[in-house]
Amino acid sequence: MKFAVLGSGNGARAWCAQIAAKNYPVIMWEPLEETEDFKKIREEKKMFLEGDINVGGKLLGATMDIAEAVKDANFILVVVPAFAHEPIFKKMIPHLEDGQNIVIVPGNFGGLRLKKMMKEAGIHKNITISETASMPYACRIDTYNKVMIYKKKFCMKIGTSPNSKNDEILKVMNDIFDGYVKYIPAKNLLEIDFDNINYTLHPFPVLLNYGEIEKNGNTFRHYMDGITPIISEKMHKLDEERIIAGKKLGLNLQDCLSQLKMYYGNNDTKTIYEYVNSNESPYKDLVGQSVYGRYLTEDVPGVIVPILLLTKKAGLDLPIAEMVVKLASFLHDEDYLASGTTLETLGIENLSISEIIELTS
């Protein structure tokens, strides 16, 4: 099997090291510029993980030519923030081959966006599209060929379209991460998109601490300072709406606290506030936040907006989620409901809920 990792950030380099440690051929595609780091990676062809996971190995190569990267690749891993999906998909689509498997990490409705873009480009290939809701670990680049893993996840979902191929994808992912992260099946891509806990974890601690973050952004700790017992209570209310929305669409979603325990370790905590302050929490040392950071500028338009719109299409209102979108839009002078990930941008505005579920299954 040959793997191509599209991206060169924290997560992309970590995936390269994880795959290389299994001695599979893996090539990294740099989407931006020929940095000194990239030149060293291209020359030395090695990548390593340190911290909670200590593995590494030799890469097949590193390139800025996407055609070279994806040629004959059995698996194409798109490991970039959601705002980079569209430009990368645009470059990737002309080079896709029958039989390839695309894995989008994290998904953030990327599967639907990719299907729409392929249809518009007239590209009809026999491929699979898979998504995870998040990265398999919290990580940061330490040096050009070393990524520090602060904490790995124990278990996470992966969904595939067509769903009949999900077992095959699961087998490969569990081989790569054997002994580190266990992958379990989701019903479809939509379940992955709705089970993104950034929906719950990110907006309220920023919106309800806006002044403090504006004054002391460099030292503000999103989870430790931003989540108080009362704010945690409101986060649970927002999360309850998400679970209800999932049921309306026939999705078996996990609440945020259950997902945190699945990801980072079970304990007897009863609230998000208690969990982020527990020994299992990976968040204690995360410092620095901005009122214009990605916790609002990405997660409100890219996660909350499409869930809100899909749920409205199913005939259910989400008043707390709608309030979050309106408040973030007001504070940023941006209509996120219009500029975010809408049903039109995903190509599903004219489909029924059952047709959308079928498209993502």
Side-chain angles (χ1 to χ4, degrees), residues 4 26 52 76 79 82 95 120 153 195 200 216 218 246 254 262 264 284-285 297 304 314 324 348 357:
V26 56
D52 204 21
I76 301 172
V79 190
H95 306 291
E120 289 175 342
K153 291 181 171 69
D195 247 347
T200 303
N216 300 301
N218 290 336
Q254 289 179 271
M262 178 180 76
Y264 300 116
K284 293 183 179 181
D285 297 325
T297 61
I304 293 185
V324 167
I348 55 175
I357 291 172

Side-chain angles (χ1 to χ4, degrees), residues 308-319:
L308 177 64
L309 294 175
L310 271 164
T311 307
K312 279 184 176 291
K313 188 179 186 70
L316 181 67
D317 290 329
L318 303 178

Side-chain angles (χ1 to χ4, degrees), residues 102-157:
I102 317 299
V103 183
I104 307 170
V105 184
N108 288 348
F109 293 90
L112 280 169
R113 190 182 296 271
L114 178 56
K115 286 173 179 278
K116 173 180 181 281
M117 293 178 67
M118 289 179 66
K119 182 178 179 180
E120 289 175 342
I123 302 294
H124 305 283
K125 297 293 182 181
N126 180 25
I127 64 170
T128 69
I129 301 173
S130 302
E131 293 181 0
T132 66
S134 67
M135 281 289 296
Y137 17 58
C139 62
R140 288 291 182 273
I141 294 170
D142 187 19
T143 62
Y144 68 97
N145 68 349
K146 183 172 69 177
V147 180
M148 181 60 62
I149 305 298
Y150 295 110
K151 190 161 187 177
K152 68 176 180 63
K153 291 181 171 69
F154 289 102
C155 182
M156 60 189 305
K157 289 182 180 181

Side-chain angles (χ1 to χ4, degrees), residues 205 209 212-213 216-222 225-226 286-289:
N209 291 279
E212 182 63 26
I213 296 170
N216 300 301
N218 290 336
T219 58
F220 186 85
R221 301 173 301 172
H222 178 86
D225 300 325
L286 295 181
V287 177
Q289 188 53 267

Side-chain angles (χ1 to χ4, degrees), residues 79-99:
V79 190
V80 296
F83 66 79
H85 283 168
E86 185 170 347
I88 287 180
F89 291 165
K90 187 175 181 179
K91 293 179 180 179
M92 176 185 72
I93 286 171
H95 306 291
L96 291 177
E97 304 165 7
D98 285 328

Side-chain angles (χ1 to χ4, degrees), residues 4 7 9 36 47 53 128 160 167 228 248-249 263 268 280 316:
E36 291 303 314
M47 196 69 68
I53 301 178
T128 69
T160 300
D167 285 348
T228 65
K248 183 71 174 179
L249 276 73
Y263 286 163
D268 61 359
E280 284 70 31
L316 181 67

Side-chain angles (χ1 to χ4, degrees), residues 22 33 42 57 69 135-136 188 351:
K22 298 292 291 190
E33 56 183 341
R42 184 174 58 191
M135 281 289 296
N188 51 32
L351 300 183

Side-chain angles (χ1 to χ4, degrees), residues 34-87:
E34 192 178 42
T35 62
E36 291 303 314
D37 274 10
F38 171 75
K39 291 177 183 178
K40 291 178 183 177
I41 294 169
R42 184 174 58 191
E43 180 180 352
E44 298 175 15
K45 299 181 178 67
K46 293 179 181 179
M47 196 69 68
F48 302 94
L49 304 180
E50 289 190 1
D52 204 21
I53 301 178
N54 291 276
V55 300
K58 190 171 182 61
L59 309 182
L60 178 64
T63 182
M64 295 189 71
D65 184 345
I66 196 168
E68 177 188 355
V70 304
K71 181 175 175 56
D72 299 327
N74 303 93
F75 281 81
I76 301 172
L77 291 303
V78 183
V79 190
V80 296
F83 66 79
H85 283 168
E86 185 170 347

